[in-house]
Short mmCIF file of all heavy atoms in Angstrom, two decimals:
data_model
loop_
_atom_site.label_atom_id
_atom_site.label_comp_id
_atom_site.label_asym_id
_atom_site.label_seq_id
_atom_site.Cartn_x
_atom_site.Cartn_y
_atom_site.Cartn_z
N PHE A 432 191.48 55.60 105.83
CA PHE A 432 190.33 55.15 106.60
C PHE A 432 190.66 54.02 107.57
O PHE A 432 189.84 53.63 108.38
CB PHE A 432 189.19 54.75 105.66
CG PHE A 432 188.28 55.91 105.33
CD1 PHE A 432 188.45 56.62 104.15
CD2 PHE A 432 187.30 56.32 106.22
CE1 PHE A 432 187.62 57.69 103.85
CE2 PHE A 432 186.46 57.38 105.92
CZ PHE A 432 186.63 58.08 104.74
N GLU A 433 191.87 53.49 107.46
CA GLU A 433 192.31 52.53 108.48
C GLU A 433 192.42 53.20 109.85
O GLU A 433 192.34 52.55 110.88
CB GLU A 433 193.69 52.00 108.11
CG GLU A 433 193.66 50.66 107.45
CD GLU A 433 195.07 50.18 107.20
OE1 GLU A 433 195.92 50.32 108.09
OE2 GLU A 433 195.28 49.66 106.10
N ARG A 434 192.66 54.49 109.81
CA ARG A 434 192.94 55.21 111.06
C ARG A 434 191.64 55.63 111.73
O ARG A 434 190.82 56.32 111.13
CB ARG A 434 193.82 56.42 110.75
CG ARG A 434 195.15 55.99 110.13
CD ARG A 434 195.83 57.12 109.39
NE ARG A 434 196.20 58.18 110.31
CZ ARG A 434 196.80 59.30 109.93
NH1 ARG A 434 197.10 59.49 108.65
NH2 ARG A 434 197.10 60.23 110.81
N GLU A 435 191.52 55.26 112.98
CA GLU A 435 190.29 55.56 113.72
C GLU A 435 190.05 57.07 113.81
O GLU A 435 188.90 57.52 113.78
CB GLU A 435 190.33 54.94 115.12
CG GLU A 435 189.71 53.55 115.20
CD GLU A 435 188.31 53.46 114.56
OE1 GLU A 435 187.39 54.19 114.98
OE2 GLU A 435 188.14 52.64 113.63
N GLU A 436 191.12 57.85 113.91
CA GLU A 436 190.90 59.30 114.04
C GLU A 436 190.27 59.87 112.77
O GLU A 436 189.53 60.87 112.82
CB GLU A 436 192.19 60.04 114.40
CG GLU A 436 193.29 60.02 113.36
CD GLU A 436 194.27 58.86 113.53
OE1 GLU A 436 193.83 57.77 114.01
OE2 GLU A 436 195.43 59.01 113.16
N VAL A 437 190.54 59.24 111.64
CA VAL A 437 189.89 59.68 110.40
C VAL A 437 188.40 59.36 110.46
O VAL A 437 187.55 60.20 110.21
CB VAL A 437 190.56 59.02 109.17
CG1 VAL A 437 189.71 59.21 107.92
CG2 VAL A 437 191.96 59.59 108.97
N ARG A 438 188.09 58.12 110.80
CA ARG A 438 186.68 57.75 110.88
C ARG A 438 185.92 58.63 111.87
O ARG A 438 184.78 59.02 111.64
CB ARG A 438 186.53 56.28 111.26
CG ARG A 438 187.10 55.30 110.22
CD ARG A 438 186.83 53.85 110.59
NE ARG A 438 185.44 53.49 110.38
CZ ARG A 438 184.57 53.26 111.35
NH1 ARG A 438 184.94 53.31 112.63
NH2 ARG A 438 183.32 52.95 111.06
N ARG A 439 186.57 58.93 113.01
CA ARG A 439 185.88 59.70 114.05
C ARG A 439 185.62 61.13 113.63
O ARG A 439 184.75 61.80 114.18
CB ARG A 439 186.69 59.66 115.36
CG ARG A 439 186.51 58.34 116.05
CD ARG A 439 187.08 58.34 117.45
NE ARG A 439 187.33 56.97 117.87
CZ ARG A 439 188.47 56.51 118.35
NH1 ARG A 439 189.50 57.34 118.54
NH2 ARG A 439 188.58 55.25 118.69
N LYS A 440 186.39 61.63 112.68
CA LYS A 440 186.11 62.98 112.18
C LYS A 440 185.19 62.94 110.97
O LYS A 440 184.29 63.76 110.82
CB LYS A 440 187.42 63.67 111.80
CG LYS A 440 188.20 64.15 113.00
CD LYS A 440 189.05 65.35 112.65
CE LYS A 440 189.68 65.91 113.92
NZ LYS A 440 190.36 67.17 113.68
N VAL A 441 185.44 61.98 110.11
CA VAL A 441 184.73 61.98 108.83
C VAL A 441 183.28 61.52 108.99
O VAL A 441 182.36 62.13 108.42
CB VAL A 441 185.48 61.08 107.82
CG1 VAL A 441 184.58 60.73 106.64
CG2 VAL A 441 186.75 61.76 107.35
N ILE A 442 183.08 60.47 109.76
CA ILE A 442 181.74 59.89 109.79
C ILE A 442 180.71 60.83 110.42
O ILE A 442 179.59 60.97 109.89
CB ILE A 442 181.77 58.48 110.42
CG1 ILE A 442 182.53 57.53 109.45
CG2 ILE A 442 180.35 57.96 110.70
CD1 ILE A 442 182.72 56.12 109.95
N PRO A 443 181.05 61.56 111.48
CA PRO A 443 180.06 62.54 111.97
C PRO A 443 179.73 63.61 110.92
O PRO A 443 178.58 64.04 110.82
CB PRO A 443 180.76 63.14 113.19
CG PRO A 443 181.62 62.03 113.71
CD PRO A 443 182.15 61.37 112.46
N ALA A 444 180.73 64.01 110.13
CA ALA A 444 180.44 64.98 109.07
C ALA A 444 179.53 64.36 108.01
O ALA A 444 178.57 64.99 107.54
CB ALA A 444 181.75 65.46 108.43
N TYR A 445 179.83 63.12 107.66
CA TYR A 445 179.00 62.39 106.68
C TYR A 445 177.57 62.27 107.20
O TYR A 445 176.59 62.52 106.47
CB TYR A 445 179.63 61.01 106.46
CG TYR A 445 178.92 60.13 105.46
CD1 TYR A 445 179.16 60.22 104.09
CD2 TYR A 445 178.02 59.14 105.89
CE1 TYR A 445 178.54 59.38 103.19
CE2 TYR A 445 177.40 58.29 104.99
CZ TYR A 445 177.65 58.42 103.64
OH TYR A 445 177.03 57.58 102.74
N MET A 446 177.44 61.96 108.49
CA MET A 446 176.11 61.86 109.09
C MET A 446 175.41 63.22 109.08
O MET A 446 174.21 63.31 108.82
CB MET A 446 176.21 61.30 110.51
CG MET A 446 176.65 59.84 110.54
SD MET A 446 177.07 59.25 112.22
CE MET A 446 175.44 59.27 113.01
N GLY A 447 176.16 64.26 109.32
CA GLY A 447 175.59 65.60 109.28
C GLY A 447 175.08 65.92 107.88
O GLY A 447 174.00 66.51 107.71
N LEU A 448 175.85 65.52 106.88
CA LEU A 448 175.41 65.76 105.49
C LEU A 448 174.13 64.98 105.19
O LEU A 448 173.25 65.48 104.49
CB LEU A 448 176.53 65.34 104.51
CG LEU A 448 177.75 66.27 104.47
CD1 LEU A 448 178.94 65.58 103.78
CD2 LEU A 448 177.41 67.58 103.76
N VAL A 449 174.04 63.77 105.72
CA VAL A 449 172.82 62.98 105.50
C VAL A 449 171.64 63.63 106.23
O VAL A 449 170.52 63.74 105.71
CB VAL A 449 173.01 61.52 105.95
CG1 VAL A 449 171.71 60.72 105.79
CG2 VAL A 449 174.15 60.85 105.18
N LYS A 450 171.92 64.08 107.45
CA LYS A 450 170.84 64.73 108.23
C LYS A 450 170.34 65.99 107.51
O LYS A 450 169.13 66.24 107.43
CB LYS A 450 171.38 65.07 109.63
CG LYS A 450 170.36 65.71 110.54
CD LYS A 450 169.25 64.73 110.92
CE LYS A 450 168.22 65.40 111.84
NZ LYS A 450 167.07 64.51 112.06
N GLN A 451 171.28 66.74 106.98
CA GLN A 451 170.88 67.94 106.23
C GLN A 451 170.05 67.54 105.00
O GLN A 451 169.04 68.18 104.70
CB GLN A 451 172.13 68.71 105.78
CG GLN A 451 171.80 70.02 105.06
CD GLN A 451 173.02 70.70 104.47
OE1 GLN A 451 174.01 70.04 104.10
NE2 GLN A 451 172.99 72.03 104.40
N ALA A 452 170.47 66.48 104.35
CA ALA A 452 169.71 65.99 103.20
C ALA A 452 168.30 65.63 103.63
O ALA A 452 167.31 65.96 102.94
CB ALA A 452 170.42 64.79 102.58
N ASP A 453 168.18 64.97 104.75
CA ASP A 453 166.84 64.59 105.22
C ASP A 453 165.99 65.82 105.50
O ASP A 453 164.81 65.87 105.15
CB ASP A 453 166.94 63.71 106.46
CG ASP A 453 165.58 63.20 106.88
OD1 ASP A 453 165.05 62.32 106.17
OD2 ASP A 453 165.02 63.72 107.88
N ASP A 454 166.58 66.83 106.12
CA ASP A 454 165.82 68.06 106.37
C ASP A 454 165.36 68.70 105.06
O ASP A 454 164.23 69.20 104.96
CB ASP A 454 166.68 69.05 107.17
CG ASP A 454 166.79 68.65 108.64
OD1 ASP A 454 166.01 67.79 109.09
OD2 ASP A 454 167.68 69.19 109.33
N GLN A 455 166.22 68.65 104.07
CA GLN A 455 165.83 69.21 102.76
C GLN A 455 164.74 68.38 102.10
O GLN A 455 163.90 68.91 101.38
CB GLN A 455 167.05 69.35 101.86
CG GLN A 455 168.03 70.43 102.33
CD GLN A 455 167.39 71.81 102.39
OE1 GLN A 455 166.71 72.23 101.46
NE2 GLN A 455 167.58 72.51 103.51
N MET A 456 164.76 67.08 102.37
CA MET A 456 163.65 66.25 101.87
C MET A 456 162.35 66.69 102.54
O MET A 456 161.28 66.71 101.90
CB MET A 456 163.93 64.76 102.14
CG MET A 456 165.05 64.16 101.30
SD MET A 456 164.73 64.21 99.50
CE MET A 456 165.63 65.72 99.06
N GLY A 457 162.44 67.05 103.81
CA GLY A 457 161.24 67.55 104.49
C GLY A 457 160.69 68.79 103.81
O GLY A 457 159.49 68.93 103.57
N ARG A 458 161.60 69.69 103.46
CA ARG A 458 161.21 70.92 102.76
C ARG A 458 160.58 70.59 101.41
O ARG A 458 159.51 71.12 101.05
CB ARG A 458 162.48 71.75 102.58
CG ARG A 458 162.33 73.08 101.91
CD ARG A 458 163.72 73.74 101.77
NE ARG A 458 163.71 74.86 100.87
CZ ARG A 458 164.76 75.27 100.18
NH1 ARG A 458 165.93 74.62 100.29
NH2 ARG A 458 164.67 76.31 99.36
N LEU A 459 161.17 69.68 100.70
CA LEU A 459 160.68 69.30 99.38
C LEU A 459 159.32 68.60 99.46
O LEU A 459 158.38 68.93 98.73
CB LEU A 459 161.71 68.37 98.72
CG LEU A 459 161.39 67.83 97.33
CD1 LEU A 459 161.43 68.94 96.29
CD2 LEU A 459 162.40 66.73 96.96
N PHE A 460 159.23 67.65 100.37
CA PHE A 460 157.98 66.89 100.47
C PHE A 460 156.83 67.78 100.96
O PHE A 460 155.68 67.60 100.55
CB PHE A 460 158.16 65.67 101.40
CG PHE A 460 159.18 64.67 100.91
CD1 PHE A 460 159.81 63.80 101.79
CD2 PHE A 460 159.52 64.59 99.56
CE1 PHE A 460 160.75 62.87 101.34
CE2 PHE A 460 160.47 63.67 99.11
CZ PHE A 460 161.08 62.81 100.00
N ALA A 461 157.16 68.75 101.81
CA ALA A 461 156.12 69.68 102.27
C ALA A 461 155.54 70.44 101.07
O ALA A 461 154.33 70.61 100.94
CB ALA A 461 156.70 70.65 103.29
N TYR A 462 156.44 70.86 100.18
CA TYR A 462 155.96 71.56 98.99
C TYR A 462 155.08 70.64 98.14
O TYR A 462 154.03 71.06 97.62
CB TYR A 462 157.13 72.09 98.15
CG TYR A 462 156.66 72.64 96.82
CD1 TYR A 462 156.18 73.95 96.73
CD2 TYR A 462 156.62 71.84 95.68
CE1 TYR A 462 155.69 74.44 95.53
CE2 TYR A 462 156.13 72.32 94.48
CZ TYR A 462 155.66 73.62 94.41
OH TYR A 462 155.18 74.11 93.22
N LEU A 463 155.50 69.39 98.00
CA LEU A 463 154.72 68.46 97.18
C LEU A 463 153.34 68.25 97.78
O LEU A 463 152.33 68.17 97.07
CB LEU A 463 155.47 67.13 97.04
CG LEU A 463 156.78 67.20 96.25
CD1 LEU A 463 157.53 65.87 96.35
CD2 LEU A 463 156.54 67.56 94.79
N GLU A 464 153.28 68.17 99.09
CA GLU A 464 151.98 68.02 99.76
C GLU A 464 151.10 69.24 99.50
O GLU A 464 149.95 69.13 99.07
CB GLU A 464 152.16 67.84 101.27
CG GLU A 464 152.73 66.50 101.70
CD GLU A 464 151.74 65.33 101.56
OE1 GLU A 464 150.61 65.52 101.06
OE2 GLU A 464 152.14 64.20 101.95
N GLU A 465 151.70 70.41 99.75
CA GLU A 465 150.92 71.65 99.62
C GLU A 465 150.44 71.86 98.20
O GLU A 465 149.32 72.33 97.97
CB GLU A 465 151.80 72.85 100.00
CG GLU A 465 152.06 72.97 101.48
CD GLU A 465 153.35 73.75 101.75
OE1 GLU A 465 153.77 74.55 100.87
OE2 GLU A 465 153.96 73.53 102.83
N SER A 466 151.28 71.51 97.24
CA SER A 466 150.93 71.81 95.85
C SER A 466 150.07 70.72 95.23
O SER A 466 149.68 70.83 94.07
CB SER A 466 152.22 71.96 95.03
OG SER A 466 152.94 70.74 95.06
#
Side-chain angles (χ1 to χ4, degrees):
Chain A
F432 271 98
E433 260 184 43
R434 300 161 64 181
E435 268 310 302
E436 66 268 31
V437 167
R438 296 185 74 251
R439 283 191 201 128
K440 284 209 173 187
V441 163
I442 292 177
Y445 181 84
M446 291 170 68
L448 288 164
V449 177
K450 181 68 180 173
Q451 184 187 29
D453 185 72
D454 285 345
Q455 292 300 314
M456 290 299 96
R458 181 182 166 207
L459 179 69
F460 297 157
Y462 172 84
L463 294 172
E464 289 287 4
E465 287 155 24
S466 61

